[in-house]
Amino acid sequence: MSALDHVTPFHASRHARFPSLRIVAGAFADMRRFLHLQQARRDLHELPDYLLLDVGIDRSQIDDVTAFSKHGPVGRDGY
């Protein structure tokens, strides 16, 4: 057995051993977030117009407010 038998191409850390788990966990987190945004979109479409105006959005802005974004839901104004 030589010293080169235990050489790995990456640093032996917990993150380097399981990069696929981080990818899968990220995919599940994105799917969960997408489902929450889809539910929020359905809930907002059920509200009457006067309640939507109280919240500060118009019915035509519901899809923009609940758009799937990496940085969170973003409306037309960037809020």
Side-chain angles (χ1 to χ4, degrees):
M1 204 179 214
S2 72
L4 296 177
D5 288 339
H6 298 290
V7 175
T8 60
F10 53 85
H11 180 60
S13 70
R14 181 179 178 152
H15 297 295
R17 282 188 253 168
F18 303 108
S20 59
L21 290 180
R22 284 192 295 169
I23 293 170
V24 170
F28 277 118
D30 286 345
M31 178 58 84
R32 183 175 178 218
R33 188 163 190 286
F34 176 76
L35 293 174
H36 281 270
L37 289 172
Q38 206 173 32
Q39 182 63 43
R41 184 176 289 168
R42 270 183 260 143
D43 292 343
L44 286 173
H45 275 293
E46 291 176 3
L47 292 177
D49 289 335
Y50 72 92
L51 286 178
L52 288 174
L53 291 175
D54 284 346
V55 174
I57 62 172
D58 191 2
R59 186 162 299 280
S60 63
Q61 295 175 318
I62 291 175
D63 292 337
D64 292 337
V65 170
T66 58
F68 186 72
S69 171
K70 194 76 170 165
H71 303 291
V74 178
R76 288 185 184 156
D77 300 332
Y79 299 112

XYZ file of all heavy atoms in Angstrom:
634
model
N 0.839 -1.172 0.000
C 0.000 0.000 0.000
C 0.891 1.243 0.000
O 1.771 1.369 0.830
C -0.879 -0.017 1.243
C -2.118 0.752 1.114
S -2.995 0.563 2.687
C -4.596 0.566 2.151
N 0.644 2.129 -0.905
C 1.463 3.340 -0.985
C 0.703 4.527 -0.398
O -0.495 4.452 -0.112
C 1.842 3.623 -2.438
O 0.714 4.069 -3.136
N 1.394 5.635 -0.267
C 0.787 6.849 0.275
C -0.229 7.444 -0.699
O -1.109 8.203 -0.306
C 1.864 7.875 0.603
N -0.133 7.099 -1.965
C -1.041 7.664 -2.967
C -2.381 6.928 -3.040
O -3.281 7.357 -3.753
C -0.373 7.648 -4.343
C 0.877 8.521 -4.474
C 1.473 8.352 -5.856
C 0.541 9.971 -4.210
N -2.527 5.845 -2.321
C -3.790 5.105 -2.346
C -4.937 5.868 -1.692
O -6.100 5.628 -1.991
C -3.626 3.755 -1.645
C -2.797 2.796 -2.468
O -2.688 3.008 -3.695
O -2.256 1.843 -1.876
N -4.633 6.783 -0.800
C -5.674 7.507 -0.069
C -5.849 8.941 -0.553
O -6.478 9.742 0.105
C -5.351 7.516 1.425
C -5.307 6.140 2.004
N -6.432 5.366 2.161
C -4.259 5.391 2.423
C -6.084 4.195 2.670
N -4.769 4.176 2.839
N -5.299 9.269 -1.709
C -5.403 10.627 -2.244
C -6.748 10.777 -2.952
O -7.151 9.921 -3.741
C -4.249 10.918 -3.227
C -4.431 12.276 -3.879
C -2.925 10.840 -2.510
N -7.442 11.854 -2.638
C -8.723 12.150 -3.287
C -8.608 13.468 -4.032
O -7.811 14.329 -3.667
C -9.861 12.255 -2.254
O -9.564 13.304 -1.350
C -10.040 10.948 -1.509
N -9.375 13.667 -5.076
C -9.284 14.920 -5.842
C -9.958 16.101 -5.158
O -9.965 17.190 -5.694
C -9.992 14.580 -7.154
C -10.944 13.503 -6.787
C -10.269 12.720 -5.690
N -10.543 15.928 -3.999
C -11.201 17.013 -3.284
C -10.814 16.967 -1.816
O -10.360 15.951 -1.310
C -12.727 16.949 -3.436
C -13.306 15.608 -3.066
C -13.620 15.302 -1.755
C -13.542 14.654 -4.040
C -14.149 14.080 -1.414
C -14.074 13.419 -3.701
C -14.371 13.130 -2.384
N -11.017 18.078 -1.148
C -10.739 18.153 0.274
C -11.745 17.289 1.023
O -12.942 17.344 0.770
C -10.826 19.610 0.743
C -10.548 19.788 2.201
N -9.364 19.428 2.776
C -11.314 20.288 3.202
C -9.400 19.693 4.070
N -10.585 20.218 4.356
N -11.256 16.483 1.931
C -12.128 15.543 2.644
C -12.923 16.269 3.723
O -12.578 16.285 4.892
C -11.297 14.427 3.264
N -13.990 16.902 3.311
C -14.889 17.560 4.260
C -16.293 16.998 4.054
O -16.563 16.309 3.077
C -14.890 19.077 4.069
O -15.520 19.399 2.857
N -17.159 17.312 4.951
C -18.529 16.794 4.863
C -19.232 17.286 3.607
O -19.948 16.548 2.953
C -19.291 17.220 6.110
C -20.688 16.718 6.141
C -21.381 17.148 7.396
N -22.746 16.678 7.366
C -23.447 16.415 8.414
N -22.939 16.603 9.605
N -24.673 15.998 8.327
N -19.013 18.541 3.251
C -19.678 19.094 2.079
C -19.132 18.507 0.787
O -19.864 18.324 -0.170
C -19.552 20.609 2.059
C -20.213 21.268 3.226
N -21.568 21.228 3.418
C -19.707 21.955 4.268
C -21.880 21.871 4.534
N -20.762 22.317 5.063
N -17.851 18.219 0.750
C -17.262 17.677 -0.464
C -17.701 16.229 -0.693
O -17.757 15.782 -1.820
C -15.754 17.757 -0.383
N -18.007 15.500 0.358
C -18.414 14.108 0.203
C -19.850 13.967 -0.282
O -20.188 12.980 -0.905
C -18.273 13.372 1.531
C -16.846 13.003 1.822
C -16.797 12.117 3.022
N -16.249 12.923 4.119
C -16.267 12.580 5.371
N -16.814 11.450 5.740
N -15.738 13.357 6.291
N -20.699 14.940 0.021
C -22.115 14.817 -0.309
C -22.645 16.008 -1.101
O -23.646 16.608 -0.721
C -22.936 14.640 0.968
C -22.516 13.460 1.791
C -21.845 13.645 2.982
C -22.790 12.181 1.360
C -21.460 12.560 3.741
C -22.411 11.093 2.099
C -21.731 11.268 3.300
N -22.016 16.355 -2.219
C -22.551 17.500 -2.983
C -23.912 17.200 -3.593
O -24.723 18.095 -3.770
C -21.500 17.743 -4.056
C -20.811 16.436 -4.213
C -20.847 15.777 -2.855
N -24.180 15.936 -3.881
C -25.468 15.597 -4.477
C -26.616 15.800 -3.486
O -27.733 16.122 -3.883
C -25.458 14.159 -4.986
O -25.184 13.279 -3.925
N -26.338 15.628 -2.196
C -27.388 15.871 -1.205
C -27.771 17.336 -1.158
O -28.950 17.674 -0.979
C -26.930 15.402 0.176
C -26.813 13.890 0.357
C -26.347 13.567 1.766
C -28.132 13.218 0.072
N -26.794 18.218 -1.316
C -27.120 19.656 -1.344
C -27.954 19.991 -2.572
O -28.866 20.802 -2.511
C -25.847 20.485 -1.321
C -25.207 20.529 0.043
C -24.137 21.552 0.109
N -23.067 21.158 -0.808
C -22.060 21.926 -1.158
N -21.979 23.144 -0.694
N -21.130 21.500 -1.974
N -27.664 19.357 -3.688
C -28.430 19.602 -4.911
C -29.867 19.129 -4.734
O -30.819 19.828 -5.079
C -27.755 18.911 -6.109
C -26.414 19.588 -6.407
C -28.657 18.929 -7.332
C -25.568 18.834 -7.398
N -30.032 17.953 -4.180
C -31.381 17.398 -3.964
C -32.141 18.241 -2.940
O -33.326 18.544 -3.134
C -31.293 15.921 -3.512
C -32.638 15.405 -3.064
C -30.727 15.067 -4.624
N -31.475 18.641 -1.856
C -32.129 19.475 -0.843
C -32.543 20.814 -1.439
O -33.625 21.327 -1.140
C -31.208 19.677 0.345
N -31.713 21.390 -2.284
C -32.053 22.644 -2.946
C -33.238 22.490 -3.882
O -34.102 23.366 -3.957
N -33.302 21.365 -4.583
C -34.424 21.111 -5.485
C -35.730 20.966 -4.702
O -36.766 21.494 -5.105
C -34.159 19.859 -6.313
N -35.672 20.257 -3.567
C -36.876 20.126 -2.740
C -37.300 21.472 -2.160
O -38.487 21.775 -2.079
C -36.654 19.116 -1.610
C -36.859 17.699 -2.035
C -35.816 16.802 -1.980
C -38.087 17.267 -2.496
C -35.995 15.486 -2.375
C -38.281 15.959 -2.898
C -37.225 15.065 -2.844
N -36.337 22.299 -1.761
C -36.664 23.623 -1.226
C -37.316 24.493 -2.300
O -38.282 25.212 -2.023
C -35.416 24.289 -0.665
N -36.791 24.422 -3.531
C -37.393 25.185 -4.627
C -38.800 24.703 -4.936
O -39.705 25.509 -5.184
C -36.528 25.090 -5.884
C -35.268 25.930 -5.792
O -35.188 26.801 -4.889
O -34.363 25.717 -6.619
N -39.005 23.386 -4.906
C -40.341 22.840 -5.180
C -41.328 23.254 -4.095
O -42.458 23.648 -4.385
C -40.280 21.316 -5.274
C -41.624 20.684 -5.515
S -42.431 21.253 -7.016
C -41.669 20.188 -8.188
N -40.884 23.211 -2.853
C -41.755 23.612 -1.738
C -42.132 25.094 -1.854
O -43.284 25.472 -1.661
C -41.033 23.341 -0.431
C -41.854 23.634 0.769
C -41.124 23.226 2.028
N -41.926 23.576 3.176
C -41.440 24.038 4.299
N -40.153 24.179 4.454
N -42.239 24.339 5.286
N -41.144 25.909 -2.190
C -41.389 27.344 -2.349
C -42.360 27.605 -3.503
O -43.249 28.447 -3.415
C -40.059 28.039 -2.599
C -40.164 29.509 -2.599
C -38.765 30.105 -2.439
N -38.890 31.504 -2.212
C -39.204 32.377 -3.165
N -39.406 31.949 -4.384
N -39.327 33.655 -2.893
N -42.188 26.874 -4.599
C -43.076 27.015 -5.746
C -44.510 26.660 -5.368
O -45.456 27.355 -5.751
C -42.585 26.120 -6.890
C -43.500 26.123 -8.083
C -43.523 27.198 -8.951
C -44.343 25.056 -8.331
C -44.364 27.206 -10.047
C -45.187 25.048 -9.413
C -45.198 26.129 -10.280
N -44.690 25.592 -4.601
C -46.030 25.192 -4.188
C -46.664 26.228 -3.255
O -47.867 26.489 -3.341
C -45.989 23.817 -3.520
C -45.624 22.656 -4.450
C -45.459 21.371 -3.653
C -46.653 22.492 -5.544
N -45.856 26.840 -2.386
C -46.376 27.893 -1.507
C -46.808 29.111 -2.323
O -47.858 29.714 -2.048
C -45.328 28.300 -0.473
C -45.206 27.355 0.665
N -45.951 27.476 1.813
C -44.443 26.250 0.827
C -45.646 26.499 2.638
N -44.729 25.734 2.057
N -46.028 29.479 -3.312
C -46.384 30.617 -4.153
C -47.626 30.320 -4.989
O -48.463 31.192 -5.198
C -45.211 30.994 -5.069
C -44.028 31.642 -4.370
C -42.862 31.788 -5.335
C -44.414 32.993 -3.799
N -47.760 29.083 -5.434
C -48.946 28.696 -6.194
C -50.202 28.784 -5.322
O -51.251 29.244 -5.777
C -48.739 27.272 -6.702
C -49.489 26.921 -7.933
C -49.089 25.555 -8.451
O -48.740 24.671 -7.664
N -49.135 25.373 -9.742
N -50.081 28.366 -4.059
C -51.210 28.461 -3.135
C -51.551 29.922 -2.851
O -52.726 30.304 -2.792
C -50.906 27.726 -1.826
C -52.050 27.752 -0.833
C -53.286 27.059 -1.341
O -53.202 25.977 -1.927
N -54.437 27.664 -1.136
N -50.535 30.754 -2.692
C -50.770 32.179 -2.454
C -51.477 32.812 -3.650
O -52.369 33.646 -3.484
C -49.449 32.885 -2.181
N -51.098 32.405 -4.842
C -51.744 32.924 -6.054
C -53.222 32.544 -6.075
O -54.088 33.372 -6.369
C -51.027 32.376 -7.283
C -51.556 32.912 -8.583
C -50.746 32.417 -9.741
N -49.442 33.070 -9.702
C -48.402 32.705 -10.429
N -48.494 31.684 -11.240
N -47.276 33.357 -10.347
N -53.530 31.284 -5.745
C -54.934 30.847 -5.695
C -55.726 31.626 -4.648
O -56.862 32.047 -4.895
C -55.008 29.354 -5.385
C -55.001 28.503 -6.630
C -55.158 27.046 -6.287
N -53.787 26.528 -6.363
C -53.252 25.619 -5.584
N -53.958 25.056 -4.664
N -52.015 25.240 -5.719
N -55.108 31.813 -3.475
C -55.788 32.540 -2.406
C -56.064 33.984 -2.797
O -57.141 34.520 -2.512
C -54.953 32.505 -1.121
C -54.876 31.112 -0.516
O -55.705 30.248 -0.876
O -53.965 30.888 0.309
N -55.102 34.626 -3.436
C -55.305 36.023 -3.849
C -56.370 36.139 -4.931
O -57.126 37.112 -4.948
C -53.982 36.621 -4.343
C -52.973 36.956 -3.261
C -51.649 37.372 -3.879
C -53.497 38.050 -2.347
N -56.455 35.178 -5.831
C -57.485 35.222 -6.877
C -58.888 35.057 -6.295
O -59.858 35.497 -6.901
C -57.234 34.153 -7.942
C -56.280 34.587 -9.005
N -56.549 35.586 -9.910
C -55.022 34.159 -9.301
C -55.528 35.755 -10.719
N -54.579 34.898 -10.363
N -58.998 34.448 -5.128
C -60.307 34.277 -4.496
C -60.785 35.529 -3.768
O -61.978 35.653 -3.483
C -60.256 33.109 -3.507
C -60.101 31.760 -4.170
C -59.962 30.634 -3.170
O -60.038 30.901 -1.952
O -59.771 29.486 -3.605
N -59.877 36.451 -3.463
C -60.271 37.663 -2.725
C -61.058 38.619 -3.613
O -60.791 38.730 -4.803
C -59.022 38.386 -2.206
C -58.221 37.699 -1.113
C -56.987 38.533 -0.779
C -59.063 37.497 0.130
N -62.007 39.338 -3.026
C -62.718 40.372 -3.798
C -61.793 41.563 -4.071
O -60.774 41.755 -3.402
C -63.884 40.764 -2.892
C -63.563 40.258 -1.543
C -62.560 39.172 -1.686
N -62.182 42.365 -5.051
C -61.337 43.482 -5.486
C -61.068 44.496 -4.376
O -59.959 45.030 -4.276
C -61.966 44.191 -6.688
C -61.891 43.351 -7.943
O -60.980 42.496 -8.030
O -62.741 43.545 -8.832
N -62.051 44.766 -3.528
C -61.833 45.779 -2.496
C -60.789 45.325 -1.475
O -60.048 46.140 -0.932
C -63.154 46.183 -1.815
C -63.751 45.144 -0.893
C -63.447 45.151 0.459
C -64.628 44.182 -1.374
C -63.999 44.207 1.315
C -65.184 43.241 -0.531
C -64.865 43.255 0.815
O -65.405 42.333 1.658
N -60.710 44.013 -1.207
C -59.672 43.525 -0.295
C -58.287 43.559 -0.945
O -57.289 43.841 -0.288
C -59.991 42.113 0.179
C -61.108 41.996 1.210
C -61.357 40.536 1.558
C -60.771 42.773 2.459
N -58.242 43.272 -2.228
C -56.963 43.372 -2.936
C -56.446 44.806 -2.914
O -55.247 45.041 -2.743
C -57.103 42.878 -4.375
C -57.267 41.380 -4.562
C -57.534 41.054 -6.022
C -56.039 40.644 -4.066
N -57.351 45.761 -3.081
C -56.935 47.164 -3.030
C -56.464 47.552 -1.631
O -55.553 48.364 -1.485
C -58.077 48.068 -3.485
C -58.428 47.974 -4.968
C -59.652 48.836 -5.280
C -57.248 48.390 -5.822
N -57.062 46.971 -0.595
C -56.584 47.219 0.766
C -55.169 46.694 0.966
O -54.370 47.283 1.686
C -57.511 46.561 1.793
C -58.806 47.322 2.002
O -58.878 48.497 1.560
O -59.725 46.759 2.607
N -54.862 45.565 0.335
C -53.522 44.989 0.422
C -52.536 45.833 -0.387
O -51.354 45.891 -0.078
C -53.535 43.522 -0.077
C -52.143 42.942 -0.134
C -54.416 42.675 0.800
N -53.033 46.491 -1.410
C -52.184 47.368 -2.213
C -51.842 46.824 -3.582
O -50.901 47.280 -4.222
N -52.620 45.836 -4.035
C -52.385 45.316 -5.375
C -53.684 45.290 -6.153
O -54.780 45.294 -5.594
C -51.769 43.896 -5.352
C -52.707 42.898 -4.672
C -50.409 43.891 -4.710
C -52.238 41.459 -4.799
N -53.550 45.290 -7.457
C -54.679 45.178 -8.361
C -54.772 43.717 -8.807
O -53.805 42.959 -8.723
C -54.442 46.088 -9.569
C -55.667 46.258 -10.437
O -56.723 45.709 -10.092
O -55.549 46.948 -11.468
N -55.921 43.297 -9.267
C -56.097 41.907 -9.681
C -55.098 41.530 -10.786
O -54.615 40.405 -10.850
C -57.521 41.672 -10.153
C -57.807 40.215 -10.448
C -59.281 39.900 -10.501
N -59.979 40.173 -9.255
C -59.984 39.366 -8.196
N -59.300 38.258 -8.225
N -60.662 39.668 -7.121
N -54.761 42.473 -11.648
C -53.824 42.184 -12.730
C -52.388 42.014 -12.228
O -51.531 41.528 -12.965
C -53.864 43.304 -13.771
O -53.432 44.521 -13.185
N -52.093 42.376 -10.989
C -50.748 42.263 -10.439
C -50.519 40.979 -9.642
O -49.411 40.739 -9.181
C -50.452 43.448 -9.525
C -50.403 44.770 -10.235
C -50.238 45.908 -9.252
O -50.875 45.921 -8.199
N -49.382 46.843 -9.604
N -51.534 40.154 -9.487
C -51.407 38.945 -8.660
C -50.300 38.034 -9.176
O -49.471 37.553 -8.409
C -52.751 38.189 -8.580
C -53.755 39.002 -7.770
C -52.568 36.806 -7.975
C -55.145 38.414 -7.737
N -50.272 37.807 -10.483
C -49.250 36.916 -11.037
C -47.852 37.491 -10.870
O -46.892 36.755 -10.634
C -49.537 36.618 -12.500
C -50.782 35.765 -12.678
O -51.156 35.066 -11.710
O -51.362 35.780 -13.769
N -47.726 38.811 -10.972
C -46.413 39.438 -10.783
C -45.955 39.358 -9.330
O -44.781 39.119 -9.055
C -46.456 40.906 -11.208
C -46.635 41.076 -12.703
O -46.303 40.127 -13.445
O -47.100 42.143 -13.125
N -46.872 39.539 -8.407
C -46.527 39.529 -6.986
C -46.134 38.122 -6.538
O -45.272 37.955 -5.677
C -47.713 40.065 -6.147
C -47.489 39.850 -4.670
C -47.925 41.533 -6.442
N -46.743 37.114 -7.135
C -46.458 35.741 -6.729
C -45.552 35.024 -7.728
O -45.560 33.800 -7.805
C -47.765 34.948 -6.569
O -48.479 34.985 -7.801
C -48.607 35.505 -5.453
N -44.744 35.771 -8.464
C -43.826 35.158 -9.429
C -42.706 34.443 -8.701
O -42.218 34.899 -7.666
C -43.260 36.226 -10.354
N -42.289 33.312 -9.238
C -41.198 32.527 -8.644
C -39.891 33.213 -8.966
O -39.516 33.383 -10.108
C -41.209 31.110 -9.209
C -40.219 30.209 -8.562
C -40.427 29.752 -7.270
C -39.091 29.809 -9.238
C -39.520 28.897 -6.670
C -38.188 28.960 -8.643
C -38.399 28.506 -7.361
N -39.200 33.634 -7.934
C -37.926 34.321 -8.083
C -36.948 33.777 -7.068
O -37.329 33.389 -5.970
C -38.128 35.824 -7.868
O -36.887 36.472 -7.798
N -35.674 33.777 -7.400
C -34.646 33.274 -6.488
C -34.527 34.178 -5.270
O -34.153 33.735 -4.198
C -33.311 33.222 -7.233
C -32.268 32.429 -6.554
C -32.522 30.960 -6.733
C -31.345 30.152 -6.263
N -31.658 28.772 -6.097
N -34.862 35.450 -5.415
C -34.696 36.423 -4.330
C -35.997 36.725 -3.608
O -36.074 37.666 -2.848
C -34.089 37.710 -4.875
C -32.789 37.480 -5.564
N -31.654 37.116 -4.897
C -32.461 37.523 -6.864
C -30.663 36.960 -5.756
N -31.131 37.194 -6.952
N -37.022 35.960 -3.869
C -38.299 36.195 -3.203
C -39.320 36.722 -4.177
O -38.996 37.078 -5.308
N -40.576 36.774 -3.764
C -41.603 37.298 -4.660
C -41.367 38.777 -4.924
O -41.140 39.555 -4.008
C -42.898 37.073 -3.900
C -42.534 36.671 -2.527
C -41.091 36.329 -2.496
N -41.365 39.151 -6.197
C -41.085 40.527 -6.585
C -42.217 41.025 -7.459
O -42.588 40.376 -8.424
C -39.749 40.608 -7.337
C -39.478 42.027 -7.793
C -38.610 40.110 -6.481
N -42.740 42.188 -7.134
C -43.784 42.799 -7.934
C -43.184 43.694 -8.998
O -41.977 43.765 -9.201
N -44.016 44.423 -9.710
C -43.536 45.317 -10.766
C -42.656 46.433 -10.228
O -41.750 46.887 -10.881
C -44.728 45.940 -11.489
C -45.450 44.976 -12.355
C -46.532 45.659 -13.133
N -47.277 44.684 -13.887
C -48.497 44.860 -14.276
N -49.142 45.950 -13.997
N -49.100 43.921 -14.966
N -42.946 46.881 -9.003
C -42.189 47.981 -8.412
C -40.898 47.510 -7.763
O -40.149 48.303 -7.244
C -43.030 48.723 -7.390
C -44.277 49.318 -8.010
O -44.239 49.636 -9.232
O -45.288 49.448 -7.310
N -40.641 46.207 -7.758
C -39.424 45.675 -7.148
C -39.540 45.429 -5.664
O -38.550 45.225 -4.984
N -40.769 45.452 -5.122
C -40.957 45.239 -3.685
C -41.432 43.850 -3.414
O -42.085 43.237 -4.158
C -41.972 46.246 -3.117
C -41.533 47.668 -3.288
C -42.193 48.534 -4.129
C -40.416 48.137 -2.603
C -41.786 49.822 -4.268
C -40.004 49.432 -2.759
C -40.687 50.286 -3.584
O -40.266 51.564 -3.731
